[in-house]
Structure formats: C-alpha cells, structure tokens
Amino acid sequence: MSTAVMALSGGMDSTSLLLRLLREGNTVYTIGFDYGQKHVIELARAQQNIDYLAKCGYQVDFRIVDLSSIMSTFAGSLTSSEKVPEGHYEEAQMKSTVVPNRNAIFSSIIYGYALSLSKKLDVDVSISLGVHSGDHAIYPDCRPEFYDQLNDAFELGNWESDRVRLELPYIDGDKVTILNDAIISCDQLNLNFDTVFANTNTSYEPDNQGRSSGKTGSDIERILAFHSIDRIDPVPYQQSWDDVLKHALSIQADYLDNIYREKLSELQYQVTRNGATERAFTGLYDKHFVKGSYYCICCNHLLFKSDSKYNSGCGWPAFHTEDANAQISRIKDYSHGMVRIEVKCSKCDAHLGHVFTDGPKEHGGERYCINSAALKFKED
Ligand code: FE
C-alpha cells in the first residue's frame, strides 16, 4: 500500500483527488489550511466528508493547520474586507482572489510533512495536489512550471528528497474532468456522489448559512461543470438550481461572446454566432483543394479532412463526410420558407452551414455545405 499526502481544502477538486487516491489504494494523509479565508466553512465540509468516509470504511488522517494569524492580513478579496468579484472565472477582475504566495506556503508545509512521514514510516510518499488547467488563467501559482521549479527547490533544500515525489493528476484537465473522475471513484468505492459533493464548498463568499451565491467566479465554474455532466449540484445555493444555472450560462455566453467579437472578423462572427451565410463563390475555401484539415474557426474543433472535400459547384465548400470524431450537431431549420438541416459545431455551437442529400452516392449521399468563414484550414 502506498502513502499519499495532499491538501484537502474542502472544495470539489481536492475532494475528488482524495477519492482518487483512495480508489488507487493509498493510505492518505490530508491537510486543510485555515488562512483567514471568508469561506472557512470549506474546512467544516471537509471534516464532514472525512466523517462520511470513515463511516463507509475509509480512514483518512485530516489535520487543520492554522495560518490565520498571519494570512488573514494578506492582500486580496478572499482574506480582506474587499468584495469578492462576481462574473466569469477567467476574467481579469478575478485576480483579486489570488492570495499572495498561497500555494508556495501550503506546498512548503505539505512537503515538510511528507518528508517527515517518509522518515517516520520508512516509506516513499507521494504529494498530490488538485490543481487543474482552469486555474491557470488567473492563478500563476497553479501552473505546472511553478510546481516544477518549486519541486526542484525542495529537492535541493532537503536530504532524502528522493523518497518524496510530487503528482498533479488533474493538471491537464478541468473541473469536468475532475467530476467525471469522482464519479468513477464513487462507483468503485461505493460512495454516494451527492453526499460527497454536498459536503464541499467552492463559493468564495457563502452566506451565513453556508449557501453559495452562485455568482462568484468559482461558483460559475462549478455550476457549469455540474451542468456539463448533466447533474444538479447538491451543494446549497441561495437560489434554486434552475436560477443559478441560468445565471451561470448567461455569464458564460457573455464571456464567450466578448472573446468571439475580439478574435473573429465581422463576417466570421455573423456566420458562426448569428447564423448568417457568406455570399456564394466568395469564400476562402470554396475552390480550395489542399491536403489538410478544417477546424471550427471559433473553438478549433476538428470538423473535416480534405479527403472528404469535393467540388459541388454550389459556391460553398462541400464535404461528403465529417471527421469521425467531429460529432457535428444537426438541427431542423425552418427559415426562409424551407425545411433544411442546419449543422453546428458540437463544442461551441457555431453555425457552420447546412447538410443536404444531393451528395456523392458512393460516399453516403450527403453534402455538407459549409461557410468558409466558419472554418480554419491547417495544411498536413
Ligand atoms: Fe466550435
């Protein structure tokens, strides 16, 4: 049996990580940090999960380290009277939720604890942290290069550091990856997913009953992740799930719309986001027959390969088959007094064009009639 040490904040990422470590058969030692955070309720929720796990037969050591005397004086909206910003989790104003040097401080303690356990128990110890790609935009101390260098420094500064290794299993994933991982863990460990996640807190500013507002960046990210896996978040909110979800989706839509407006030309924007059609015979890829792949202009999702492109003569790029993993959405379109099948990017909902049944029979008989403005080509 291997030994693992991790920070258990009481949020959904570290909770999922704990389940993963248990699933992998580790003996797990966890540390929670009281750093004067407004959402210190997360530690009480973590304790509830530790108790639930014990009831289910999984013993986990949980210690709370009190750093509040110094860290409650730190700058930032999590530890001061400054208001926690609302909105999308990748917006610049979320930087006020960064606590100066937080992860270096926490990691330092975790590393010292892991090395000490390694000596005391005469075992190798892994340190696992639940950081993920969604954190990278706003939190520089969640980026892989930061942890690489921190680990190098800890190795240089300690004897027998070869017995301790750092693992970041979610570093390339996001909150959806993490929830899906937790579903697997709950199945394998015979735990109730909703009980586990009701015993977490992600909100930076819960009310005095511990209910999330559903409006801070961390709330929005969590709500959208639960929505992506088709589940209702079991954690208490100040409004109904339908209301917090509606709000989160509108924040996400506004955020993406700003990005699209910035990165797309007017024509690309009108075609993909407003369902417009470029004029026939004007598009960049109408008569384009170079070997390569065609991606969604908005989100880079692979849609078509050049070997399915043919000259239909209709004035727009024509493909007889979509890429095997494209999963292009099809929607009945009743506009302009016709019934047509509209095709959209399944990842970002960009309008691409339509699909008709007058394509080459030897390839299934379909013709994807796609706007060049919805595509980005990359040569092989
Ligand atoms: Fe897309």
Side-chain angles (χ1 to χ4, degrees):
M1 192 177 265
S2 34
T3 305
V5 172
M6 60 166 286
L8 180 64
S9 70
M12 56 174 269
D13 309 339
S14 60
T15 300
S16 299
L17 180 62
L18 170 57
L19 301 185
R20 183 189 177 97
L21 293 173
L22 291 172
R23 179 180 101 204
E24 291 171 345
N26 293 283
T27 303
V28 191
Y29 294 81
T30 63
I31 306 179
F33 294 97
D34 180 346
Y35 57 99
Q37 66 271 48
K38 288 172 183 165
H39 54 295
V40 70
I41 190 173
E42 63 181 3
L43 295 176
R45 298 257 170 94
Q47 184 62 58
Q48 285 170 14
N49 260 336
I50 295 291
D51 296 344
Y52 172 63
L53 287 168
K55 218 174 75 187
C56 297
Y58 303 102
Q59 300 301 326
V60 175
D61 190 283
F62 179 50
R63 282 154 210 264
I64 294 178
V65 177
D66 187 357
L67 297 170
S68 60
S69 66
I70 184 67
M71 288 185 76
S72 60
T73 68
F74 279 22
S77 59
L78 299 196
T79 50
S80 71
S81 56
E82 189 182 337
K83 185 160 170 40
V84 176
E86 295 183 347
H88 195 273
Y89 51 97
E90 289 194 359
E91 280 175 308
Q93 79 260 27
M94 296 304 157
K95 284 184 183 160
S96 84
T97 65
V98 175
V99 180
N101 217 30
R102 177 174 56 179
N103 282 348
I105 295 167
F106 291 179
S107 299
S108 202
I109 291 170
I110 293 166
Y111 199 91
Y113 184 46
L115 257 182
S116 305
L117 279 173
S118 162
K119 276 189 211 265
K120 205 160 78 180
L121 306 173
D122 193 21
V123 291
D124 290 343
V125 176
S126 69
I127 297 174
S128 284
L129 300 173
V131 292
H132 64 88
S133 65
D135 294 329
H136 303 172
I138 298 298
Y139 303 100
D141 61 352
C142 287
R143 292 175 188 158
E145 55 271 32
F146 170 75
Y147 280 106
D148 285 347
Q149 298 209 11
L150 200 60
N151 195 43
D152 287 349
F154 288 160
E155 282 182 7
L156 283 172
N158 286 286
W159 301 118
E160 291 165 50
S161 54
D162 57 321
R163 302 212 72 180
V164 171
R165 67 181 190 281
L166 179 65
E167 291 182 357
L168 309 171
Y170 298 140
I171 196 76
D172 296 321
D174 58 14
K175 274 196 150 46
V176 177
T177 320
I178 289 171
L179 283 180
N180 281 323
D181 191 53
I183 290 172
I184 296 169
S185 300
C186 287
D187 278 354
Q188 291 190 16
L189 299 168
N190 208 14
L191 300 170
N192 185 294
F193 178 92
D194 283 342
T195 304
V196 169
F197 283 92
N199 290 336
T200 61
N201 172 75
T202 297
S203 185
Y204 285 149
E205 214 164 29
D207 67 7
N208 54 17
Q209 295 173 56
R211 299 175 308 172
S212 312
S213 67
K215 290 181 176 163
T216 68
S218 59
D219 286 320
I220 300 290
E221 189 181 24
R222 174 173 173 137
I223 293 161
L224 293 173
F226 272 86
H227 179 58
S228 290
I229 64 159
D230 233 358
R231 276 184 183 259
I232 295 173
D233 186 356
V235 98
Y237 285 93
Q238 291 163 29
Q239 290 94 31
S240 70
W241 174 249
D242 284 350
D243 287 343
V244 292
L245 176 60
K246 203 168 132 194
H247 176 72
L249 288 171
S250 80
I251 293 283
Q252 170 83 336
D254 289 351
Y255 174 75
L256 289 174
D257 193 58
N258 282 336
I259 289 181
Y260 296 140
R261 280 192 186 278
E262 239 169 64
K263 83 170 198 177
L264 301 178
S265 70
E266 181 60 20
L267 179 66
Q268 288 166 340
Y269 180 85
Q270 291 306 334
V271 167
T272 56
R273 309 322 310 178
N274 283 339
T277 301
E278 69 197 16
R279 280 190 297 118
F281 303 105
T282 62
L284 196 57
Y285 302 128
D286 177 25
K287 295 282 189 282
H288 180 263
F289 293 98
V290 179
K291 209 168 157 38
S293 302
Y294 293 84
Y295 298 83
C296 172
I297 189 76
C298 295
C299 74
N300 252 336
H301 180 52
L302 175 59
L303 300 168
F304 301 101
K305 299 257 178 63
S306 57
D307 56 10
S308 72
K309 193 171 188 301
Y310 69 102
N311 188 2
S312 70
C314 67
W316 293 275
F319 302 86
H320 53 69
T321 314
E322 64 185 64
D323 181 78
N325 296 317
Q327 293 187 298
I328 291 174
S329 313
R330 295 177 176 221
I331 296 140
K332 272 203 170 146
D333 174 7
Y334 297 97
S335 64
H336 305 292
M338 296 178 273
V339 183
R340 296 178 296 170
I341 305 292
E342 179 188 9
V343 285
K344 290 182 133 185
C345 172
S346 58
K347 292 276 175 221
C348 75
D349 210 36
H351 169 76
L352 305 172
H354 291 85
V355 64
F356 300 100
T357 53
D358 57 2
K361 294 244 173 349
E362 66 275 26
H363 293 294
E366 290 198 320
R367 171 172 64 97
Y368 290 81
C369 180
I370 305 296
N371 289 279
S372 295
L375 300 173
K376 181 160 70 185
F377 177 76
K378 283 184 206 155
E379 203 171 332
D380 279 350

